[in-house]
Amino acid sequence: MQRLSRNEKLLFAGALLLIAAAYIMNYVEISVGGYILRSSTIRGALFIVLYSCWGRTLERRVMHAEIRHCLMAELLLIIFWILDRSIKFTGIFDETTTVYLWYLYYLPILFIPLIALRISFCLGRQEDYRLPIKAGLIYLIPLVLLLAVLTNNAHQLVFVFPGRVPNSIEYTYGAGYFVIVVWTAGCITATIFRMIHRNRVTKGRFWLYLPILPLLLLIVYCIIYVLRFSGLETIRLHDMSSVVCLMIVLSFELCLQVGLIPSNERYRELFLNAGLPVGIFDDKMRPYLVSRAFRDTEEAALQNAADEPLILPDGIRLVGSRIAGGYSFWQEDIRSAAKILEELEDMNESLTESSIAARKAYETRKERQQLAERNRLYDRMQREIQGKLQTVQGLVSSFEKEEDPEAEREFLLRILLLGVFIKRRSNLFFLSQDSGRIDPEELEYCLEESFVYLRMCGIICGYEVLGRTGISFRAACRIYDFFEAVMEEGFDQFESVYVHIRQQEDGWKILTEVQTRDSGFFEKVNGRSIYAEDEGDGAVLLSLHVAEGGGRR
């Protein structure tokens, strides 16, 4: 809890004087022009002035919108209560009107504790905190109880009158009255527990419990009042409305003073005690408001810092900014930052040298790894096509020994077909190294290049590749090997070749339909791993189903 400023001390002194004056009115009467003013009327006027002034300060001090609205609602109910009581005791109304003015006491009696409880739920929350809308349903309880009081003349469940004739002097309490007592006491008790809980959560000091003391005194007073303790008349504290309103206001004022309710004040003290080295100066560089952390600075340095940041000899950076009526300055201790910067520069120089050596080592290691990877790929490719290379070498030897032109042409076509196969097979291998998968279009390129040489032999060729996604390297090689095996088996007797490749859910399927002059071609291929179907007239359909991983299905 902070010390009060001079103005705040004067305000509290004025409030105490008004409270003292209101209490003294219990013992004196004032006569004006032969008319005796009732002490309750004067006392009510004093309290209304006090609470109106207090409410005026709430608009400026309370930052939390929900709490501010609730406090203003409490204030209006308090003023209504005091005004209603003052009107009731003027003595100018008949008994029925007086009874209803008395019943209206219960509007603030029922709603003030509930609004106080609502405020307790907002203590310590963010400024934009709002209670859920469904929380407003609880207002139905005091509303029903208020209706019960206002209609008491009909049922007398709250106040019971002798002879069932309503009056504000002789009565006893009914069951409804004790329900109201339980309701108000429950709300005040819940408010107290909410404040205690909030202090435990925030681990507040002892003075944070001060706002609870007026509420505890209020509960004790209400119990004594309900029991109609005669001592209240003796000490002139029988005015329940004044006491209850005063305790409620005192509790919330203490909440503001101890910080449970955020207040919008004491900025000057906050500025002076802030740990930040900041200062406000006028146009002539005379200090207006300077924090205690701001170091003394010469006027010439301030003038220079107003235009651009200035580094002071002691390693302090002075920065200025133009504001209305003068300048604001703040100081930044950059000594540790300068030391760190120097260390970083040394480290950067060392790292640069290390980086050059590391880069050279990396480039050397990269070249070695690339060479090793290149050798690995060539060795693997060599193993993949080793058999075909040996076949080509055998055909070349036979070609060199052959003298018959037709036989030489047949050897040459076979060599060309095998060469295309080796080339395309190697290409598939290199394409698969990045992701392990191959675009189906690559199979089209393989078939198209092979068909170029088949067409040179007068063979009618056609193909179709249907695939939505990439194909694995093994599956592509299996399909292309199948096609190459069929061509190698008897392309010299083929009249036409049609290849259809399509993707299925569980892999790929290749269909190859050939029209051959070789009547024994079906017997050659049937019974092998190749599935063959004789369609008659030299037409043979060959098919193979390849799993995605490359295996035969």
Side-chain angles (χ1 to χ4, degrees):
M1 188 172 181
Q2 298 180 356
R3 297 178 59 184
L4 299 179
S5 64
R6 182 174 179 274
N7 291 336
E8 288 174 331
K9 291 178 180 179
L10 292 175
L11 289 175
F12 277 110
L16 290 175
L17 286 176
L18 284 175
I19 295 173
Y23 181 74
I24 293 173
M25 285 298 103
N26 289 308
Y27 296 93
V28 298
E29 289 185 352
I30 299 176
S31 176
V32 178
Y35 177 76
I36 299 177
L37 294 177
R38 291 181 177 271
S39 61
S40 60
T41 303
I42 300 175
R43 186 169 61 250
L46 291 173
F47 276 121
I48 289 176
V49 171
L50 173 65
Y51 297 142
S52 298
C53 294
W54 183 69
R56 183 65 177 173
T57 67
L58 293 179
E59 297 179 356
R60 174 179 55 84
R61 292 190 296 165
V62 181
M63 299 164 58
H64 196 296
E66 180 81 2
I67 295 178
R68 184 171 62 252
H69 296 156
C70 290
L71 286 175
M72 296 307 294
E74 294 272 46
L75 184 62
L76 290 175
L77 289 172
I78 288 172
I79 293 177
F80 170 81
W81 193 356
I82 294 176
L83 188 62
D84 179 51
R85 186 184 185 284
S86 299
I87 294 174
K88 172 179 175 292
F89 280 101
T90 56
I92 61 176
F93 298 103
D94 58 28
E95 186 63 29
T96 302
T97 305
T98 302
V99 168
Y100 277 104
L101 288 173
W102 172 43
Y103 286 166
L104 286 176
Y105 287 5
Y106 287 85
L107 172 62
I109 288 174
L110 290 168
F111 283 91
I112 284 177
L114 178 58
I115 298 176
L117 179 60
R118 185 183 183 95
I119 293 174
S120 69
F121 277 92
C122 298
L123 296 180
R125 304 281 189 175
Q126 297 287 340
E127 291 183 29
D128 57 350
Y129 175 77
R130 298 289 185 276
L131 286 172
I133 297 178
K134 60 183 180 181
L137 295 176
I138 198 173
Y139 284 94
L140 294 176
I141 297 176
L143 185 61
V144 171
L145 294 176
L146 178 62
L147 290 175
V149 173
L150 295 177
T151 58
N152 182 73
N153 290 352
H155 51 72
Q156 296 195 18
L157 293 176
V158 182
F159 301 103
V160 181
F161 305 106
R164 301 188 66 83
V165 178
N167 66 89
S168 60
I169 299 175
E170 296 183 6
Y171 58 90
T172 58
Y173 298 124
Y177 177 81
F178 293 102
V179 173
I180 293 173
V181 171
V182 171
W183 165 255
T184 55
C187 288
I188 295 174
T189 304
T191 302
I192 293 174
F193 278 106
R194 281 295 305 173
M195 288 183 175
I196 293 174
H197 173 72
R198 174 52 53 188
N199 290 340
R200 286 179 177 176
V201 170
T202 57
K203 298 181 179 180
R205 298 178 181 177
F206 174 76
W207 45 262
L208 289 177
Y209 291 92
L210 288 179
I212 299 174
L213 295 180
L215 299 180
L216 292 175
L217 293 175
L218 179 59
I219 291 178
V220 174
Y221 174 82
C222 290
I223 294 174
I224 295 174
Y225 184 87
V226 171
L227 296 177
R228 296 186 178 182
F229 182 64
S230 59
L232 293 179
E233 290 279 354
T234 304
I235 60 177
R236 296 291 197 270
L237 290 178
H238 56 284
D239 185 355
M240 182 181 185
S241 60
S242 299
V243 175
V244 171
C245 293
L246 185 60
M247 291 298 103
I248 293 291
V249 170
L250 179 59
S251 177
F252 288 127
E253 179 60 32
L254 288 174
C255 286
L256 284 166
Q257 292 301 320
V258 302
L260 283 177
I261 297 178
S263 59
N264 189 24
E265 56 187 4
R266 299 188 179 179
Y267 285 120
R268 184 181 185 86
E269 292 157 353
L270 177 63
F271 187 92
L272 293 175
N273 295 311
L276 299 176
V278 293
I280 299 176
F281 296 78
D282 61 16
D283 289 326
K284 297 181 179 180
M285 296 302 167
R286 292 177 299 192
Y288 175 74
L289 193 60
V290 179
S291 69
R292 293 184 174 89
F294 192 86
R295 302 188 182 188
D296 292 336
T297 308
E298 296 180 358
E299 182 178 342
L302 294 175
Q303 294 284 0
N304 295 330
D307 299 325
E308 58 181 357
L310 177 66
I311 306 297
L312 301 178
D314 54 354
I316 301 299
R317 183 170 180 260
L318 181 64
V319 184
S321 177
R322 178 71 180 178
I323 59 175
Y327 297 89
S328 65
F329 295 94
W330 62 95
Q331 297 170 339
E332 301 173 354
D333 189 348
I334 62 172
R335 287 174 294 185
S336 58
K339 183 178 180 181
I340 293 174
L341 182 60
E342 183 180 353
E343 293 176 355
L344 288 175
E345 290 176 352
D346 295 339
M347 188 181 299
N348 181 54
E349 183 178 353
S350 177
L351 289 176
T352 301
E353 296 175 356
S354 301
S355 176
I356 294 174
R359 188 181 299 111
K360 291 181 179 179
Y362 168 75
E363 292 175 354
T364 303
R365 186 168 61 254
K366 181 179 178 182
E367 291 177 359
R368 290 178 180 175
Q369 290 177 350
Q370 288 178 343
L371 181 60
E373 179 67 13
R374 192 179 299 115
N375 291 335
R376 184 188 69 82
L377 293 177
Y378 282 130
D379 290 342
R380 183 178 172 185
M381 184 182 66
Q382 181 71 18
R383 290 194 300 271
E384 294 281 347
I385 61 175
Q386 182 65 36
K388 298 302 178 184
L389 289 174
Q390 293 176 356
T391 302
V392 170
Q393 291 176 356
L395 290 173
V396 170
S397 299
S398 301
F399 174 75
E400 292 175 348
K401 297 175 182 179
E402 187 61 53
E403 296 181 357
D404 183 8
E406 288 297 327
E408 287 180 347
R409 184 173 181 275
E410 181 180 344
F411 279 123
L412 185 59
L413 287 174
R414 286 182 179 275
I415 292 171
L416 290 174
L417 281 174
L418 286 174
V420 170
F421 172 77
I422 292 172
K423 171 189 171 184
R424 281 298 171 179
R425 190 68 152 69
S426 301
N427 187 56
L428 292 176
F429 173 78
F430 285 113
L431 289 175
S432 68
Q433 294 307 302
D434 292 335
S435 62
R437 303 189 69 79
I438 299 171
D439 195 300
E441 289 185 359
E442 293 298 330
L443 287 176
E444 296 184 20
Y445 299 151
C446 294
L447 296 175
E448 180 61 34
E449 191 166 352
S450 299
F451 284 165
V452 169
Y453 297 101
L454 291 177
R455 292 188 182 104
M456 293 173 60
C457 299
I459 301 173
I460 300 173
C461 303
Y463 66 87
E464 183 180 25
V465 179
L466 301 176
R468 299 181 301 276
T469 60
I471 179 173
S472 67
F473 168 69
R474 288 298 177 190
C477 290
R478 178 83 177 178
I479 291 172
Y480 194 44
D481 289 347
F482 170 80
F483 169 75
E484 188 272 338
V486 172
M487 296 302 103
E488 211 177 329
E489 189 64 42
F491 78 91
D492 54 339
Q493 298 296 320
F494 290 168
E495 294 179 352
S496 65
V497 177
Y498 177 75
V499 179
H500 175 80
I501 301 173
R502 69 172 180 269
Q503 186 178 16
Q504 297 180 329
E505 292 183 359
D506 55 350
W508 292 77
K509 189 170 186 178
I510 176 172
L511 299 173
T512 304
E513 184 177 13
V514 299
Q515 186 73 32
T516 179
R517 295 184 296 272
D518 184 1
S519 58
F521 178 74
F522 176 74
E523 286 74 12
K524 290 180 182 180
V525 297
N526 192 24
R528 298 187 184 182
S529 58
I530 300 174
Y531 174 77
E533 181 179 347
D534 189 358
E535 295 183 335
D537 295 332
V540 179
L541 179 64
L542 304 104
S543 64
L544 179 68
H545 192 176
V546 181
E548 183 61 32
R552 184 172 182 271
R553 299 182 66 86

